[in-house]
Structures are given as C-alpha cells and as structure tokens.
Amino acid sequence: MSSLEDAFEEACRQRNIPGAVLLASDRHGKFRYEKVFGSRSVKSPESNEPLEIDGMMWFASCTKLLTCISVLQCVERGVLTLDNDVTDVLPELKGIEILTGFDEETGKPITKKATRRITLRHLLTHSSGMSYDLFDLTLQKWRASQGQKVGEGKTVASKFSCPLLYEPGTAWGYSPSIDWAGKMVERVNDNVSLQEYMKTHVWGPLGIKDMIFHLRERPDLVKRLVDLSERDPSGNGKVRYADDPGFRDDVDDALGGGGVFANAPEYLKVLQSILADDGKLLKSESVEKLFEPHLTKESQQALMKLLEDEQLNNQFGGLPLGTAKDWSLGGLLIQEDLPGWRRHNTLTWGGLPNLTWFIDREVGLCGLYASQVIPPGDPKSIEMSGMFERAMYEKCKGVAPRI
C-alpha cells in the first residue's frame, strides 16, 4: 500500500487534490481499509488543518442510492409499485408535455403531449424523459422563455418542474427524477419528510448518526464541514478554494437526488449492508433488483451513445470508453469484467464533488472515494480514485468472493 499512500500524500502536498477519504471493506468486514489524506480546506496558503475521517461532506448524487433503497422498501410494503403511472402519487406530473423545439419567429416553446406514462421504474433509471436544466441547453432556453432562472427554487416542484425531452422509456438522460421518487416516498408515508423517513428506515437500522439533509439543524456537524475546492482554471493543475452556491444548504425539501451531507464511514455502512445482504435495509429479492439491468433496449443504447463523449464519460466515473453499461434501480451497472478491477454487474455511482462508490458482489468488495472537488469528472480526481480502487482489488484478492 505504500506506493498508493505515497501517491496520495504527494498529490495533496502539491495541491493537485486538497484531500480525500479512502474506505473499502469486504462483505464480512474482515478486510477493511481506512486512510485520510490532505487538508480540510485550501482557503488560504496557510491552511494546514488536516482532513479528518469524520469530516462532513456534501454527498450530492450519492444521495440517490439512499432514496432508491427507501423506494424499494416502500415497494416491499406494497405502498408503491414499479410499473404503475406515478401521477397517482405525483399529480404535478399529470399532463406533462414533451419539448420538441422553439418557434423560429417568436422563440416560444413547441411541445407535444406524451403518449407514454411515467413509471417509478423510469424515475429510478433516469429514463422518464426528464433532465437536469443545469446540464441541458434546451431546458435552459425553456427556462429563459418562462422568465425563470436555472436551478432556482427551494422545493422539488419549484426546482425540477420542466417539460420532458423524450417519451418515457425511449431514451436516457441524467435527471432529477429520483428527487421526484423521494417525494413519492414522503407521500405514501403520511407526508413525513424524506429526512425523517431515512432516519427511521435507513440510517437508524445501521446506527448512522452523522447523515442529514438540512445541515443547519446540526451545528455540531457544520463545524466539521469540509470546504469545497475547484480546479484552478489557469491550467496549473492545482486546486483552490471554491465558494459554490450548490454547496449551500438553502432548500426547504429534502432533495432525494442530491441533498445529503455525511461523513465517509457513515456512508460506507450503507454500501456494506447492501454487499452483505444482511437484511437490515432490504429483503434479498430487493437487493437483487439493485444488481439487475432495468433499461429498455432503446434507453440502454441511448446511454451508451451519450458515454462515447470522453468528458461525459469521466463524469460517469471514468471507466474505459466503450465499457458496457446499463442502469439498475440503484445506479450505474457495469456489464462486463474489467481486468484487475470491477466485475460484471458491479453497481456504482457518485456525487458531483468527485465522490465515487462501488459495490462488487462477485469479488465481495465495496468502497468509497470521498472528496470535495469540482468540476465533476475532474481528470486528476478520476485518476486518483481509479488508483485507489485497483489497489483495493489487489489487496483483498480472495478475501470474500460471492458464494
């Protein structure tokens, strides 16, 4: 491990990255790796406060796995179904139309009625027709035509009410659909907030204490918040302090697609529980759904086409270009073996500030690379994360393969 740790120490010393928490475990906890490198902040040249393992981070889209688990718990209890029309629970989406373009003379949006219903399976697999306006120029133009700003709003409905871009189930687009799925969890559980639901049904069973949506409610956790850093645009390869608006806890809803703050060991508890299939969160048949492909042929082909773009592929974890992929009910699903690395049906995803998690049931290994660096898909962060993962696969060879 010394070469791995030397590489991380040097990267932090050179400020190629500010710091990182590296965690990995087998399904039984017999193998466990925990290392922390770098600083909590690079706000000033004199910043030397070390990053601690319990440092609080914005986990961004890592939240999606927690919401997917919550949804599957509701499916187990029979209060939600995967393939019914979601508008029974989300009436806001009734009559939602598909944006096809803009009038050349007036600039007004041109829409058509959707002919297919949106299902919960579509929401969980990002094949509903929705997209993030933050990343989509067409939706940004639509927002402007409505006199709205991109990303504004303090609730799921105000932030993410946009027209569809395609018929549900016919293409693929990364989207706020899991934020809407989180609202479904709330509504079929007597309108309890998603934060309170997770406290009882996800965090509680695993003894998780330091995980929260509304960070302002826990001043003790605010004190441990790790600062966000950004890659210096001058091209010098260094990171610098970033004051990014997306990092602030300024919304009213618990955003199931990206609102959680946590520390790395707390999040690893979730990964290990799913890897061990210990029954604390989900029944075994629900765990299986997390490791099965759920896209239609059209949607899977659209996903693969999107990931031919190297920059976008980096934002999706930096896997070798052309790696076969699908989407499960919990994240990106690798559909082939990667030598010395992830195996077929490894489940993975991450969060915007270059966090990456994975669960490999064939090898019996899960892990988390936790950092707070923007932009997403930062090449240096991808390099360091891949180095960490490969070292873990080498270290745990034969420890706890799937039986």
Side-chain angles (χ1 to χ4, degrees):
M1 291 292 108
S2 60
S3 59
L4 171 71
E5 289 151 12
D6 290 345
F8 269 87
E9 288 172 359
E10 181 63 17
C12 294
R13 189 160 42 245
Q14 296 296 329
R15 287 211 167 170
N16 300 136
I17 60 172
V21 180
L22 312 181
L23 299 176
S25 176
D26 70 352
R27 59 169 42 90
H28 305 303
K30 294 180 180 178
F31 165 74
R32 188 173 179 90
Y33 181 87
E34 291 186 356
K35 288 290 181 181
V36 187
F37 301 91
S39 303
R40 190 192 67 81
S41 175
V42 294
K43 193 169 185 177
S44 71
E46 294 77 29
S47 298
N48 57 10
E49 181 184 346
L51 177 61
E52 301 289 350
I53 198 166
D54 64 351
M56 294 296 295
M57 298 185 182
W58 176 39
F59 267 64
S61 286
C62 294
T63 307
K64 289 178 169 66
L65 177 63
L66 308 175
T67 303
C68 290
I69 290 169
S70 301
V71 166
L72 290 175
Q73 290 175 342
C74 294
V75 172
E76 288 180 354
R77 297 199 303 273
V79 295
L80 288 175
T81 58
L82 290 172
D83 295 309
N84 285 354
D85 189 331
V86 299
T87 60
D88 291 341
V89 182
L90 298 172
E92 301 97 323
L93 301 183
K94 282 185 177 178
I96 191 169
E97 296 192 329
I98 299 171
L99 179 63
T100 61
F102 298 86
D103 185 279
E104 292 184 3
E105 294 183 0
T106 66
K108 290 183 178 179
I110 302 171
T111 61
K112 67 177 183 179
K113 289 185 177 180
T115 61
R116 299 189 181 195
R117 64 186 183 179
I118 299 174
T119 68
L120 184 52
R121 193 185 305 271
H122 291 144
L123 294 182
L124 297 185
T125 58
H126 299 284
S127 58
S128 66
M130 298 178 183
S131 184
Y132 280 115
D133 56 8
L134 181 64
F135 304 128
D136 190 279
L137 294 177
T138 301
L139 287 183
Q140 291 173 18
K141 186 175 180 179
W142 178 85
R143 285 283 192 197
S145 75
Q146 306 300 301
Q148 301 173 2
K149 294 181 180 179
V150 172
E152 71 177 0
K154 293 182 178 294
T155 65
V156 169
S158 61
K159 288 179 74 68
F160 301 129
S161 290
C162 293
L164 304 181
L165 296 181
Y166 56 85
E167 287 280 359
T170 65
W172 194 91
Y174 194 50
S175 74
S177 57
I178 294 178
D179 292 277
W180 286 105
K183 295 303 293 183
M184 295 180 74
V185 171
E186 292 181 342
R187 289 176 183 178
V188 298
N189 287 279
D190 298 321
N191 289 311
V192 66
S193 74
L194 189 61
Q195 176 167 289
E196 291 305 312
Y197 179 90
M198 287 190 186
K199 278 184 182 178
T200 301
H201 299 282
V202 180
W203 307 337
L206 300 181
I208 292 173
K209 304 294 185 184
D210 293 351
M211 192 174 284
I212 196 168
F213 283 93
H214 303 301
L215 190 64
R216 58 185 178 271
E217 297 174 3
R218 291 278 305 275
D220 60 317
L221 300 184
V222 173
K223 292 177 181 178
R224 299 186 348 231
L225 187 62
V226 177
D227 279 347
L228 195 65
S229 299
E230 64 182 359
R231 187 65 54 192
D232 193 321
S234 70
N236 65 9
K238 310 297 184 183
V239 290
R240 66 182 188 183
Y241 173 76
D243 183 17
D244 186 85
F247 189 58
R248 295 176 184 145
D249 172 25
D250 61 354
V251 294
D252 297 332
D253 276 356
L255 300 181
V260 155
F261 293 83
N263 64 52
E266 296 283 60
Y267 195 86
L268 190 76
K269 292 176 183 178
V270 178
L271 304 180
Q272 189 173 19
S273 178
I274 296 300
L275 175 62
D277 192 7
D278 58 16
K280 293 180 180 179
L281 298 179
L282 294 171
K283 297 176 182 178
S284 292
E285 52 265 37
S286 297
V287 172
E288 288 299 321
K289 289 182 172 66
L290 295 176
F291 295 89
E292 296 170 349
H294 284 266
L295 291 179
T296 64
K297 183 178 180 181
E298 293 170 291
S299 293
Q300 192 271 340
Q301 289 175 341
L303 170 64
M304 292 299 295
K305 182 68 176 176
L306 282 171
L307 295 185
E308 290 176 3
D309 179 85
E310 185 173 4
Q311 183 176 358
L312 188 58
N313 186 69
N314 268 354
Q315 293 176 9
F316 279 50
L319 296 169
L321 287 172
T323 299
K325 307 174 189 73
D326 207 292
W327 209 272
S328 80
L329 300 185
L332 184 68
L333 202 62
I334 311 306
Q335 293 293 276
E336 63 178 280
D337 288 344
L338 300 177
W341 197 11
R342 298 171 177 175
R343 301 296 192 271
H344 185 271
N345 280 343
T346 293
L347 180 65
T348 182
W349 198 233
L352 186 147
N354 287 283
L355 300 100
T356 302
W357 60 263
F358 69 93
I359 307 172
D360 185 335
R361 294 201 300 174
E362 292 304 316
V363 171
L365 180 68
C366 65
L368 172 66
Y369 174 94
S371 72
Q372 296 285 271
V373 176
I374 54 174
D378 171 59
K380 185 63 178 180
S381 298
I382 294 296
E383 174 194 339
M384 302 305 290
S385 177
M387 182 189 307
F388 155 65
E389 287 191 23
R390 286 181 172 87
M392 294 304 100
Y393 273 83
E394 180 65 28
K395 180 72 172 176
C396 80
K397 275 185 178 178
V399 173
R402 190 178 182 190
I403 298 174

